[in-house]
């Protein structure tokens, strides 16, 4: 079976040891004329050093304002298969767990209704299927929904939440990342499917400060597992590690607050100075475990650079005992999130992410707006400029 | 700078300060910039203007005032 | 009749319940894992409190995969692990095995099929990336091609453990940074260098002027009347070629075949382990696009990686290494030039200055 | 005649040549000192490369001194050190002795005259301060009185070495901060809490409206017409009571007997030793003025100092101690309350947030 | 001799062990009616909790626009002695060195022409004499000038430069702080006496990174001594220190770059990583000395909070070999400073300090304006936002 389009440049990317996306596209193209044309257009981009997609364009699923990204070719005549070449986002499972049965069914759907191409997964977390037309949308959507896979977010809505593998396969998890991700996603279906915000809003859940889902840099709300009490030490295991590597140098000296030391052969931790960074636990997982009072911190405001520069999540809630709440179906958390959205609705402007809003109005104003008190852990240090806005006679008095 | 230009320059500076007394405070740097433009044709340099200012001050025709920054003022 | 159709249509069912896809051993030991051991860059084992052992075999993926790929991994999962598998947050595939005996056969099979096993421990992790020319309209470069070229070059670092710590590389094809570019050990970013070209005729019909103006980080867009219609003008003196205006207004294309390319960044980190999360910082302001193999960009990444490999102490992330030796030495060692482009001039620029006499000579 | 007078008038001679006031031993060993030793909080000795020894006896000063004080120290200098003496950058007096035998007699004489010998080594240094009610028009508090009250309370720390490291305290009577308040271990700052009161009649004659507007850090001043003259209006919602407008416009007095007072700051540092220089940070937003002895402010300073003394390791400056134990513990130990006033909301506020999950419980 | 004014509140400040400024004022008041009235007015401030000085007011020395601060009482009738109560600033000597002879003469001048009261010294460094009237000004000035003491700065001018004790009595000095302070002050007499800047400009000179004159936080230009080559180690003295205290803990572990370690009993320093912070030298002055290639760093832009918040000096010139220049009368330095002033004249606005100007226009623009190249030591780290202003096709290309 000859190639429809010559792709000498892309062919170069079939060489080398790393698995080749070009080969993957060719495998899909074997079954899909659309993907054949996609290869042709991408080759043309490689030649011209420029994208050949038109800007945006309408595409979507009835009643939903999210979950599909419209994409139209600049050269519909030359590459009719990608005249329309949309992508659809299916909300992945918590922790990205699947079985072969469901994956095969998804593969069938992608072959039948799109270009037989996937992103497993998109950067936000969705399963992306590439190469559908508007005409395919409803069927693809309904077949997926029957499998239990609803669409994910796009546009000015709640984006598909995602989480690390957490308690399913990680000893470090301080709360059930999978459950909370699943629960909140279900609770906020309307916000996910029908864009009604000023701009996008992302939530990601990591079970500990290692942050394996990169929540702190990529989500408006980052939920990071932590604990409030003392690290549990198994002194025998500590001794075993001491035999294996230089614990002083690689663990103690790297503790950010230097709150660990040896007394004789025993490891001692001043937990009141521990910032729950995970380092010592990472290095000696058999000897150290996080405490019993587990919960999570919430960081707010991370986002990509546009418009006011990149933002990292900043501490909003140092500790929340999410286990308590889980009995109540995460009631408090949902309330808190709704309060934030209300404040954002009220004071945010179009295309302003919540982190930018907070930067604009000030953290204290935001806290007052959502009903939280400022605490010292929200800041690196107290203010150093003297421009204090005292509010009444008694204000600030000792 | 000729003596004549110098005289003109000094009069202009003192005149400006008088004219705007109570309305605008001239920083020496404002005057220098202003006069540089004004006397560009006569080839008057920044240094010339500074020199003229120094003499005006030494003669007590103008004094320096201060309010969050120095400015030229008429002697009281 | 239409009523009935309406009723049958399924909406708002949300994501599938993950419990359905947890293997029996995972269900049993959910939240009860005791510790893990990394056996080799392709394999780790998690030991439960009760002694159960769950083996994970990790396999690289280009992320942009065919339905055939999906069926391949399903076959493997069926053969070796009861059909259970997962993906990682960096798009790798993980096979979850309950029986140690299956580990090596699985790896052999994967190898036979041409798949890459690795990516655990102190390796170069799979590159988080974006759409590029394959699917996006704002890209300044392709994504998958650059990633493939870099991973080919760094292949040994994925399958063997040769580095002081994990190195996360990210790629994004434009300043929207859909990849993790803003905070990765090494990041590659599609970069424009020319202001948008305005098509006034389209603009007056297609774009909302106020939101176009608001989209600009440097206030470079001003309203302008074209005939009796409202269009905009770009101040090219202050435009920083970010493409934000194009995102909101299709009539302001910014892609430019001759002037687009890549910039290289280092030292970002997301985990809170030891040090706080931090952004990636500029190293190479610009490298022209060189499809299909992006030679110079690949070399720049390799130069950084090898300097890191040589210089860092065990356990040090890239930024920890650089901060220990100092940025001046980093530039010296890698041979990259420090230019005026490296000096921040945006919103919090002041916070990046050296307010001290500390300096290295 | 007037010509002659003009000629005789001396101008632009600049400062006196310091060489005239260097003692012979200093001249000889200028730039050739080898090391020093601190003998006690009042005495140190500098040993030159050639073995010469120069003794320094340091004496506290209130800085605001009479001509009689000046003559006193001159007498001492004549008696013990060939008339040579100097002042320190923190306004102490230093007697420079070439003969060790003179050290103790000098100290005894100074003690007899009621002067305080000390201030070297790990002590509370003399308080850098400003004019206050004695000579300034914008002060929110007195300077010398607060300083005297604090130094009385901390006297033992000046004359004895009891601290982990040097503690520099500074005082300024308004936000102009003529003292080193912005970067001292402990700082006391005169603080207003009410907006300026505008006297429109005076304003229109005395003040330049544009520069008054430009003086405001929060853009709270707007032009307003009063009759046909240009005056200004203050937006009290945004005014932060800084007094900058009063500095440029006498018709906007801000001092307020009932609402003025002091704020307390900690953790500033100027030296580059170990850590970079850093600003003082807010601890107590406001303490009312309590002349003549400012009891609460003195107590607040003492609370901080004693917590530091108890908690810091040898060699740790205040900020190094606080950063080691964390700000939350600092507030806990000292009992001061963390309030919304402590959260920065000015220019670089964003740079002061905690961009991490690091927290102490 | 009875008191002219009762001062019960001030009398409280004669108690306690620390030397009392009230007693000093009383000693001066014994000879000066002005200072008697000053005591009265200050007592009234203590009662009323408010200053009783009028805002500013004209006072000065003919031909000079600087060196005197006018001060007028709110209650000239009640306290006629302080109807006018100006202060005058005499330029101190480099390093604040004096002898008894000259100090006595200054005391006489203060008694004759002012209130017999001094600030030894003002915060900027001047000798301040308090309590003169405009009528006293010329005589006081001329008598001081005859002693060789010209006026210091005030207003929008070059403020009186000052320096640490440096090589006169400190083993740490890396350049001659006294000489350069003296030389530059003389070179810039006109700028010091005749305000012609946008606002004040301060220079301070410290011989090393300890910065004993607090230059980095209080002067627009801070000159900080440093060195370029290796720290000189006397290993025998190191051994002596090791016997005396825990050198590892108190010296090595506190080195900011951890660039020192022991090899056997020998101390080793990786000088290429040393940031010249002075800590190790401070702790072991007999064992360690700065290198032979001494010079200075220049930090720019420090100032008090108004209007845009407090600023610390930022690195402008990492290393300058000032010794070379001193042979040429500090020609290069003077040129550099003049360039800065010109840029400031040109682009600064009224009441804008140079640090604020740099923040407004950007460091790179400023560097281009004064003819310097950017170097990595000027910044803590390279930019992290991607908003790069490429300037031409080749710009930024590898
Ligand atoms: C598909 C995906 C990239 C991928 O290859 O995986 C993607 C693709 C696009 N992103 Fe994204 N973003 C994707 C994850 C991200 C992420 C990462 C994340 O979510 O963790 C970010 C950075 C995090 C953040 O949100 O700040 C991201 C930041 C943006 C931005 C900048 C938003 C901002 O506030 O700065 C834009 C611009 C916009 O929305 O107008 C954008 C816009 C876009 C658009 C819709 C282009 C546009 O201008 O309209 C891209 C459509 C490409 C296409 O043709 O499919 N995309 N985008 C990711 C979504 C897949 C999924 O649902 O799983
Ligand atoms: C599988 C995965 C979670 C998931 O839900 O998919 C995962 C799994 C583990 N991570 Fe992770 N991390 C995963 C992404 C991340 C990310 C996110 C990312 O890379 O985008 C981070 C933050 C990266 C950053 O800081 O920039 C991350 C930062 C860590 C760290 C902290 C490393 C550090 O020192 O900074 C640890 C601790 C360690 O390695 O000792 C960790 C440790 C672990 C452990 C050892 C946890 C455990 O006991 O199971 C797991 C195996 C580590 C390994 O791969 O070597 N994991 N880990 C992700 C694998 C991605 C991949 O395919 O390569
Ligand atoms: C005399 C004086 C210089 C002068 O020209 O007058 C001086 C003299 C010395 N300083 Fe200083 N420093 C003097 C003000 C300063 C200042 C400025 C200030 O306090 O306003 C600082 C910066 C303060 C800051 O960081 O906030 C200063 C930071 C240092 C340091 C660094 C301390 C640190 O670890 O941060 C040292 C090194 C040390 O002490 O080991 C030092 C060391 C020294 C040595 C040991 C240098 C020497 O070998 O002669 C001198 C005696 C120290 C002592 O007093 O214990 N000197 N020193 C100043 C005395 C002021 C006073 O009367 O108290
Ligand atoms: C006398 C002195 C305080 C003292 O008790 O020692 C002083 C006194 C005044 N200062 Fe100052 N400043 C004095 C050193 C400082 C310093 C410290 C320094 O120079 O190291 C600073 C902070 C450093 C700086 O310049 O940033 C300082 C920052 C200010 C400011 C704020 C400037 C700014 O840019 O933010 C002002 C306001 C102004 O100039 O309009 C100011 C204004 C004033 C005025 C002129 C009040 C005014 O608004 O007109 C004060 C006159 C008081 C009086 O009645 O004598 N003074 N002033 C110091 C000068 C004595 C001397 O010449 O030795
Ligand atoms: S974030 Fe923590 S809990 Fe989650 S997978 Fe990573 S190490 Fe495990
Ligand atoms: S978790 Fe981090 S901060 Fe806490 S003891 Fe361990 S290394 Fe130190
Ligand atoms: S990074 Fe830019 S070009 Fe790439 S997918 Fe995202 S929006 Fe498109
Ligand atoms: S490319 Fe960016 S900086 Fe340039 S005009 Fe558009 S939005 Fe503004
Ligand atoms: S700090 Fe303020 S009140 Fe005190 S002397 Fe300086 S300008 Fe005057
Ligand atoms: S006191 Fe300060 S903030 Fe208030 S109006 Fe005056 S200048 Fe503005
Ligand atoms: S700054 Fe350095 S050289 Fe100057 S006195 Fe202090 S320690 Fe000595
Ligand atoms: S001077 Fe500072 S940085 Fe250099 S070796 Fe000594 S302690 Fe380390």
């Amino acid at each position: 079976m000859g190639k429809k389009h010559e792709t000498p440049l892309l062919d170069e990317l079939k060489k080398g040891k790393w698995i080749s996306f070009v080969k993957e596209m060719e495998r899909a193209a074997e079954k899909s004329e659309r993907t054949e044309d996609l290869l042709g257009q991408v080759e043309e981009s490689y030649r011209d050093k420029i994208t050949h997609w038109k800007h945006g364009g309408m595409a979507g699923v009835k009643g939903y304002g999210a979950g599909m990204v419209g994409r139209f070719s600049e050269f519909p005549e030359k590459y009719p298969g990608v005249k329309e070449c949309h992508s659809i986002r299916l909300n992945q499972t918590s922790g990205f767990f699947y079985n072969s049965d469901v994956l095969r069914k998804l593969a069938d759907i992608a072959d039948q209704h799109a270009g037989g191409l996937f992103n497993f997964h998109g950067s936000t977390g969705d399963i992306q299927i590439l190469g559908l037309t508007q005409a395919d949308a409803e069927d693809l959507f309904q077949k997926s929904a029957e499998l239990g896979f609803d669409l994910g977010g796009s546009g000015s809505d709640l984006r598909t939440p995602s989480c690390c593998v957490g308690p399913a396969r990680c000893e470090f998890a301080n709360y059930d990342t999978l459950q909370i991700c699943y629960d909140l996603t279900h609770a906020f279906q309307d916000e996910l499917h029908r864009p009604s915000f000023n701009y996008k809003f992302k939530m990601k859940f990591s079970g500990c400060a290692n942050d394996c889902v990169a929540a702190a840099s990529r989500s408006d709300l980052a939920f990071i597992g932590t604990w409030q009490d003392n690290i549990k030490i198994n002194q025998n295991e500590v001794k075993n590690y001491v035999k294996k590597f230089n614990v002083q140098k690689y663990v103690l000296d790297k503790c950010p607050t230097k709150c660990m030391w040896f007394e004789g052969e025993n490891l001692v931790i001043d937990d009141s100075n521990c910032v729950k960074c995970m380092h010592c636990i990472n290095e000696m997982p058999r000897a150290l475990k996080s405490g019993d009072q587990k919960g999570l911190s919430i960081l707010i405001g991370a986002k990509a650079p546009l418009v006011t520069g990149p933002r990292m999540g900043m501490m909003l809630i140092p500790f929340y005992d999410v286990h308590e709440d889980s009995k109540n179906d995460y009631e408090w958390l949902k309330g808190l999130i709704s309060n934030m959205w209300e404040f954002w609705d009220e004071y945010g402007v179009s295309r302003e992410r919540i982190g930018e809003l907070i930067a604009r109005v000030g953290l204290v104003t935001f806290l007052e707006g959502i009903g939280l008190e400022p605490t010292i852990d929200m800041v690196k240090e107290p203010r150093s400029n003297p421009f204090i806005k005292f509010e009444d006679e008694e204000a600030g008095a000792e | 700078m000729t003596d004549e230009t110098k005289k003109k320059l000094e009069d202009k500076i003192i005149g400006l300060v008088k004219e705007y007394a109570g309305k605008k405070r001239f920083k020496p740097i404002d005057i220098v910039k202003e006069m540089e433009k004004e006397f560009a044709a006569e080839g008057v340099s920044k240094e010339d203007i500074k020199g003229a200012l120094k003499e005006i001050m030494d003669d007590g025709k103008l004094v320096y005032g201060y309010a969050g920054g120095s400015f030229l003022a008429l002697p009281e | 009749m239409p009523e009935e159709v309406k009723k049958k249509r399924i909406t708002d069912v949300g994501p599938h319940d993950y419990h359905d896809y947890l293997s029996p051993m995972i269900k049993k030991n959910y939240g009860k894992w005791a510790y893990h051991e990394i056996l080799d860059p392709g394999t780790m084992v998690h030991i439960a409190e009760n002694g159960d052992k769950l083996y994970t075999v990790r396999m690289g993926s280009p992320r942009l995969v065919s339905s055939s790929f999906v069926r391949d991994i399903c076959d493997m999962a069926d053969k070796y692990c009861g059909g259970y598998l997962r993906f990682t947050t960096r798009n790798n595939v993980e096979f979850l095995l309950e029986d140690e005996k299956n580990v090596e056969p699985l790896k052999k099979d994967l190898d036979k099929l041409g798949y890459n096993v690795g990516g655990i421990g102190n390796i170069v992790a799979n590159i988080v990336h974006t759409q590029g020319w394959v699917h996006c309209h704002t890209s300044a470069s392709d994504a998958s091609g650059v990633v493939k070229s870099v991973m080919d070059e760094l292949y040994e670092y994925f399958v063997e453990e040769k580095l002081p710590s994990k190195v996360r590389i990210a790629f994004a094809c434009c300043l929207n940074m859909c990849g993790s570019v803003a905070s990765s050990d090494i990041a590659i970013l599609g970069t424009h260098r020319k202001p948008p070209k305005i098509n006034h005729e389209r603009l007056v019909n297609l774009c909302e002027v106020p939101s176009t103006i608001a989209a600009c980080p440097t206030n470079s867009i001003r309203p302008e009347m074209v005939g009796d219609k409202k269009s905009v003008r770009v101040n090219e003196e202050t435009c920083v070629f970010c493409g934000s205006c194009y995102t909101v207004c299709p009539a302001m294309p910014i892609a430019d075949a001759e002037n687009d390319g890549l910039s290289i960044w280092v030292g970002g980190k997301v985990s809170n382990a030891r040090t706080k999360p931090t952004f990636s910082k500029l190293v190479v302001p610009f490298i022209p696009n060189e499809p299909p193999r992006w030679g110079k960009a690949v070399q720049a990444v390799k130069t950084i990686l090898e300097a890191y490999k040589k210089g860092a102490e065990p356990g040090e992330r890239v930024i920890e290494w650089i901060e220990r030796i100092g940025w001046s030495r980093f530039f010296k060692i890698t041979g990259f030039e420090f230019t005026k482009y490296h000096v921040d001039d945006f919103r919090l620029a002041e916070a990046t200055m050296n307010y001290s006499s500390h300096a290295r000579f």
Side-chain angles (χ1 to χ4, degrees), chain A residues 3-22:
Chain A
K3 266 191 184 182
K4 184 167 171 196
H5 306 284
E6 284 306 310
T7 57
L9 292 170
L10 287 180
D11 290 347
E12 289 298 312
L13 289 165
K14 295 194 285 184
K15 301 173 183 167
K17 288 190 168 169
W18 184 251
I19 178 168
S20 168
F21 73 100
V22 175

Side-chain angles (χ1 to χ4, degrees), chain C residues 288-360:
Chain C
N289 275 327
E290 299 170 316
R293 303 278 331 182
W294 279 270
K296 286 208 193 85
V298 170
Q299 271 318 309
V301 171
K302 192 153 191 199
T303 301
I304 295 165
L305 191 77
E306 297 204 324
Y308 163 72
K309 182 186 161 191
K310 205 170 146 199
E313 292 188 357
E316 269 180 346
R317 294 282 297 268
V318 171
I319 186 63
E320 293 169 285
W321 161 62
I322 297 178
E323 296 208 326
R324 179 170 56 76
I325 66 167
W327 281 98
S328 56
R329 188 118 68 112
F330 171 80
F331 277 93
K332 235 175 261 167
I333 290 174
T334 55
F336 297 117
E337 199 195 342
F338 183 85
T339 70
K340 63 180 177 183
Y341 298 126
H342 292 83
V343 180
D344 195 357
D345 51 7
F346 197 59
R347 200 173 97 255
L348 296 173
E350 289 179 52
T352 70
M353 301 296 149
N354 177 8
Y355 294 100
S356 77
S357 69
H358 289 194
R360 290 171 175 89

Side-chain angles (χ1 to χ4, degrees), chain B residues 66-69:
Chain B
Y66 184 79

